[in-house]
Amino acid sequence: MNEIIEKEFITSDLFRMKVKAPEIARKREAGQFIILIVDENGERIPLTIADADPEAGWIALVAQIVGKTTKALSQLEAGDSIKDLAGPLGNPTEVEKYGTVVVIGGGVGIAPAHPIAQAMKKAGNTVISILGGRTKDLVIMEEEMKAASDKVIVTTDDGSYGKKGFVTDALQKLIDDGVSIDLVVAVGPPIMMKFVSKMTKEYEIKTIVSLNTIMVDGTGMCGCCRVSVGGETKFVCVDGPEFDGHKVDFEEMMHRIQMYSHQEKEAMDKFLSK
Ligand SMILES: Cc1cc2nc3c(=O)[nH]c(=O)nc-3n(C[C@H](O)[C@H](O)[C@H](O)COP(=O)(O)OP(=O)(O)OC[C@H]3O[C@@H](n4cnc5c(N)ncnc54)[C@H](O)[C@@H]3O)c2cc1C
Ligand code: FES
């Protein structure tokens, strides 16, 4: 059992938790995730480790309520416990001194982008972060990202905060302004990662994306997280979660994520009617 030490809502459907998990806090690296089960009847869901304190023995999770399990998790409070937490899982981000790294976080993807920006900065890179949200309230962790970056650009789809437009507009502007970019790391909705990768492919800028497929076992056995990368079958849980954005078949991935939408809706309706 893993005790929740702190919990706060960032917006009405986005929350952050600090959970006691000393072993994971000690071992985790940027880019890695955990799989949790909320209670004995729960399904497994993956969440990125947004932050950790190895001395104090906690990890931080930031989750968006999209269905039954994230809803159930959001209803737990400090002092409650999460039944099972496995991790750290997945390969850590390949952190090197590349030069100028643009870290792009979209919506809840800003949380997983944060440790990546921190690690890239620590390795001596110039880090420019682009944070995007549909509207002002969905731009999270701006202060933390400022601390981990040389420059932060914020975009909102509706223009309620930062520059009006998509993260790709901000990236295009950097390119047009002549900023020499050595690496782009994009974490967020699949559609955002797809368009970022499309743009950087044109300019031949190496691009890493962190994929959020459906996962069950997290061990490469069940096949749920299968994606096609460069024509080869890969499993996000053990081969990823990060891949070359120019090689990912995003269309197939998006199609597979929608595969259980009927059952997901049914589970949520049942949960809410209890
Ligand atoms: C490696 C990894 C790291 C992740 N990190 C985070 C994180 O830090 N914070 C966070 O909020 N989410 C993260 N996700 C997504 C998270 O796992 C899903 O939102 C969660 O599994 C949904 O469970 P649910 O029962 O609440 O919703 P469900 O009822 O299972 O799904 C509800 C809706 O969400 C969509 N959905 C389901 N699974 C995913 C998914 N994996 N990605 C995108 N949409 C999905 C469905 O298509 C459906 O429309 C991560 C996913 C992966 C693979
Ligand atoms: S989650 Fe089962 S193979 Fe990756």
Side-chain angles (χ1 to χ4, degrees):
M1 291 291 234
N2 301 267
E3 192 191 334
I4 297 165
I5 306 168
E6 269 178 45
K7 181 214 148 179
E8 56 165 343
F9 273 96
I10 304 170
T11 67
S12 57
D13 67 353
L14 199 67
F15 60 99
R16 183 207 299 250
M17 274 180 173
K18 277 187 189 170
V19 185
K20 227 183 230 174
E23 290 288 303
I24 301 175
R26 220 159 17 88
K27 287 192 192 139
R28 75 96 202 202
E29 290 181 56
Q32 292 186 297
F33 62 94
I34 52 99
I35 288 187
L36 64 78
I37 300 178
V38 174
D39 56 43
E40 59 274 14
N41 300 316
E43 64 169 357
R44 296 158 182 235
I45 64 156
L47 293 173
T48 306
I49 305 167
D51 203 353
D53 184 331
E55 265 89 58
W58 55 257
I59 60 167
L61 307 172
V62 177
Q64 185 162 24
I65 302 172
V66 293
K68 188 217 158 200
T69 303
T70 43
K71 181 78 183 168
L73 185 64
S74 77
Q75 292 175 343
L76 298 181
E77 302 294 346
D80 291 337
S81 292
I82 294 171
K83 184 175 182 308
D84 289 318
L85 204 75
L89 299 170
N91 298 303
T93 307
E94 269 184 39
V95 179
E96 284 175 32
K97 188 164 178 189
Y98 297 97
T100 297
V101 179
V102 175
V103 178
I104 304 179
V108 72
I110 298 170
H114 175 242
I116 299 174
Q118 274 182 322
M120 289 294 178
K121 182 90 184 100
K122 199 170 164 205
N125 293 289
T126 298
V127 175
I128 302 174
S129 295
I130 304 176
L131 316 182
R134 264 181 288 121
T135 189
K136 185 176 186 223
D137 285 352
L138 300 177
V139 178
I140 59 167
M141 299 178 73
E142 191 182 347
E143 289 312 311
E144 289 95 326
M145 285 304 269
K146 274 186 182 158
S149 319
D150 294 272
K151 184 178 176 177
V152 171
I153 303 163
V154 176
T155 63
T156 49
D157 300 6
D158 63 2
S160 53
Y161 191 52
K163 294 194 170 72
K164 187 175 191 310
F166 297 131
V167 293
T168 39
D169 297 322
L171 180 62
Q172 183 69 62
K173 175 134 189 358
L174 288 176
I175 295 167
D176 293 344
D177 288 347
V179 176
S180 161
I181 302 169
D182 300 287
L183 177 74
V184 168
V185 185
V187 194
I191 192 80
M192 181 208 94
M193 295 192 282
K194 175 187 160 174
F195 281 106
V196 166
S197 302
K198 194 164 172 253
M199 176 179 284
T200 55
K201 193 171 183 183
E202 233 174 84
Y203 293 98
E204 295 178 2
I205 304 168
K206 182 178 155 87
T207 297
I208 302 297
V209 291
S210 181
L211 301 185
N212 49 353
T213 50
I214 290 170
M215 285 188 184
V216 177
D217 67 349
T219 67
M221 306 277 277
C222 72
C224 256
C225 66
R226 176 168 68 78
V227 282
S228 298
V229 182
E232 284 179 45
T233 295
K234 298 281 179 192
F235 298 104
V236 175
C237 63
V238 289
D239 299 320
E242 293 176 6
F243 294 96
D244 180 341
H246 298 164
K247 295 188 176 160
V248 173
D249 183 340
F250 284 105
E251 291 305 317
E252 181 196 65
M253 180 188 150
M254 289 189 280
H255 183 70
R256 283 180 59 82
I257 283 179
Q258 295 302 321
M259 212 158 52
Y260 300 108
S261 50
H262 175 70
Q263 288 88 339
E264 285 160 354
K265 186 178 175 311
E266 215 173 78
M268 184 62 157
D269 289 346
K270 265 192 199 155
F271 181 71
L272 291 177
S273 68
K274 266 185 197 167

